[in-house]
Amino acid sequence: MHGEILNLLDGHLSELQALRRELSGRRAAAPGERRKVAAATASAAERYARALSCMLTDVDDPRTAAP
C-alpha cells in the first residue's frame, strides 16, 4: 500500500503543479479563466482526499467513500 499512496501523492502533486503553472503564466487570461483554474485545484484536492480515504479504508468504489 505504501507504493500506491506515494503514486497517488505524486499524481496529485503533478496535477497541482500543472494548475499552478496555468495560474502563474505571464499571459493575458480570459475573464474567469484564473478563477476556473483555482476551482480546479480544489476539485483536485477533493479527488485526492477521496482516493486516499478509499485506500486507507480499503473501499473499492471511490464514489461510496465519504468526502
Side-chain angles (χ1 to χ4, degrees), residues 33-57:
E33 182 180 355
R34 287 193 170 97
R35 184 180 189 138
K36 183 178 175 182
V37 175
T41 65
S43 295
E46 289 172 347
R47 285 191 306 277
Y48 172 74
R50 274 194 306 272
L52 184 59
S53 269
C54 290
M55 281 185 179
L56 297 176
T57 59

